[in-house]
């Protein structure tokens, strides 16, 4: 099972009707954000940050812009360490 297939299975299981299926670029965006948070802040920051991204997107934030903002935030934290 690919991660795109997994995302679709989760979307169906959670009955996220009215949402678009995730494509590879969407999955890659979330994984890149998780990597930035895990490597620049702390490993546990990865799931927390992606969860908060999901909340923001669910409330209407643009997923591309929100992921970019959070990646920049995480990467800037690395420079402060």
């Amino acid at each position: 099972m690919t991660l795109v297939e997994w995302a679709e299975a989760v979307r169906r299981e959670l009955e996220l009707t009215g949402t678009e299926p995730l494509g590879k670029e969407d999955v890659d965006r979330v994984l890149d954000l998780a990597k930035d948070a895990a490597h620049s802040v702390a490993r546990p920051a990865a799931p927390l940050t992606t969860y908060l991204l999901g909340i923001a997107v669910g409330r209407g934030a643009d997923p591309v812009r929100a992921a970019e903002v959070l990646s920049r935030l995480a990467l800037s934290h690395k420079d402060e360490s």
Side-chain angles (χ1 to χ4, degrees), residues 6-47:
W6 171 248
E8 180 58 21
V10 169
R11 192 176 75 87
R12 282 192 313 267
E13 188 67 24
L14 294 177
E15 299 177 2
L16 296 174
T17 58
T19 63
E20 293 292 320
L22 294 178
K24 183 177 181 332
E25 63 280 351
D26 301 310
V27 171
D28 289 345
R29 183 177 307 110
V30 171
L31 294 177
D32 287 343
L33 174 57
K35 175 188 61 131
D36 290 344
H39 292 224
S40 299
V41 181
R43 288 179 74 185

